[in-house]
Amino acid sequence: MILAAAVVCLSWHADAQQRDAAIRLEVAGTVRLAADGAVMRFEPEPQVSAPVAAQVAKSVGGWRLAGKDGQTAEGETHVRMALEAVSLEQGYGLRLTEVWIGAPSLAPGTPLPEYPRVLLEARAGSRVLLQLGLDDEGSVAHATVKHMGLLTHIKDEAIRAKWRERFGQASVEAARHWKLVAGSRQGSRAVFPREVLVLVTFWPRDLKGDTDYRHIGWPMATSPWAIQNRTTLPPGSVLVDPRVLPVDSTLSLQEDVVGSML
């Protein structure tokens, strides 16, 4: 009953398009692991509502993780989950749709990419998905553009291609100087995934100094960014999404939990 009330509250605050679709939410926190990989404790991040946190903690408490390449699983690791609320005969249930383990975080003071002036003046915007390779200390060893969405009224494909290149260059140049903070500790070691994904948003401005754009079209269906991608940013600003996603992890679930009900 309490969980149903929490989900209804989420639905009430969603816009009309979201209410017509599935109710989606994300939950993140830290799990403490025993030597055999069993979850001893789940500590949700503060913004997670108490009913949802309790339901997630109950389910996560049954997980068991394994270290790769013979490494111990003992320690703690960050976990992020994408959930979907499912209507049942009595209230709602939560289905796990995706899970990411061991995501690092951006270090405080991470420098933002510079908004290319010509694109700022042209009122062009973009979302750039970066794939970053990390060294053992969490510094970025290499950066590439994995995917990009462009928002502009310009139809000329040659111009659009040049602008995509400029947004990509600005993002990669900044990322080369980034350092990340470990999201996992196995034994006494801080552990990093080899590859992570980071989303950079260049939010455009219009002639009135404000923006009418509710979102930049991509990624509309890529978790977890699809769950919260309608926040309007200050015109002409750049955001590096704090939700870093590991491409790989030094920990793995011993059983497949994706698709299960919590």
Side-chain angles (χ1 to χ4, degrees):
M1 182 65 70
I2 296 177
L3 177 61
V7 171
V8 169
C9 181
L10 286 167
S11 178
W12 177 259
H13 288 290
D15 61 27
Q17 179 180 354
Q18 288 173 314
R19 285 196 295 270
D20 291 340
I23 302 171
R24 295 175 295 176
L25 61 153
E26 61 175 321
V27 173
T30 301
V31 294
R32 179 70 184 176
L33 301 172
D36 63 356
V39 173
M40 300 167 59
R41 184 174 67 253
F42 172 71
E43 298 176 357
E45 293 182 350
Q47 67 270 25
V48 181
S49 68
V52 173
Q55 187 73 13
V56 171
K58 181 179 178 181
S59 179
V60 171
W63 291 3
R64 189 179 297 271
L65 284 76
K68 293 184 178 178
D69 301 324
Q71 298 182 35
T72 180
E74 184 176 10
E76 61 182 28
T77 189
H78 182 272
V79 175
R80 184 176 300 279
M81 292 161 274
L83 307 173
E84 182 179 71
V86 179
S87 180
L88 305 174
E89 291 185 3
Q90 296 182 344
Y92 284 86
L94 293 175
R95 177 185 290 124
L96 181 64
T97 58
E98 292 188 75
V99 59
W100 300 273
I101 300 172
S105 58
L106 295 165
T110 295
L112 296 174
E114 183 177 352
Y115 210 128
R117 180 167 295 277
V118 65
L119 303 183
L120 181 63
E121 294 174 351
R123 306 190 307 281
S126 179
R127 274 196 165 118
V128 182
L129 183 62
L130 295 174
Q131 184 157 344
L132 311 179
L134 306 180
D135 64 19
D136 291 339
E137 304 300 321
S139 295
V140 174
H142 59 84
T144 58
V145 175
K146 183 175 178 62
H147 193 88
M148 181 187 301
L150 181 68
L151 178 61
T152 177
H153 298 296
I154 299 298
K155 302 300 182 183
D156 187 298
E157 185 52 43
I159 295 176
R160 293 171 64 91
K162 290 181 181 179
W163 288 3
R164 282 193 291 266
E165 184 179 0
R166 291 289 297 276
F167 279 125
Q169 287 175 343
S171 302
V172 167
E173 177 58 31
R176 287 174 177 156
H177 303 284
W178 291 351
K179 183 176 178 61
L180 283 76
V181 178
S184 287
R185 298 196 68 87
Q186 292 175 237
S188 60
R189 298 189 311 114
V191 181
F192 294 90
R194 289 298 179 190
E195 303 273 342
V196 297
L197 300 177
V198 178
L199 181 66
V200 179
T201 298
F202 296 85
W203 199 260
R205 69 184 188 189
D206 66 10
L207 292 175
K208 299 178 182 179
D210 199 355
T211 179
D212 297 323
Y213 305 122
R214 294 292 296 166
H215 62 276
I216 298 175
W218 184 89
M220 287 297 293
T222 303
S223 293
W225 304 299
I227 299 172
Q228 298 177 11
N229 77 330
R230 292 179 175 269
T231 302
T232 300
L233 302 174
S237 64
V238 181
L239 171 71
V240 179
D241 198 301
R243 293 169 292 181
V244 177
L245 298 187
V247 175
D248 59 353
S249 176
T250 56
L251 291 168
S252 61
L253 286 160
Q254 294 191 18
E255 294 184 6
D256 187 10
V257 297
V258 173
S260 64
M261 297 294 295
L262 302 187

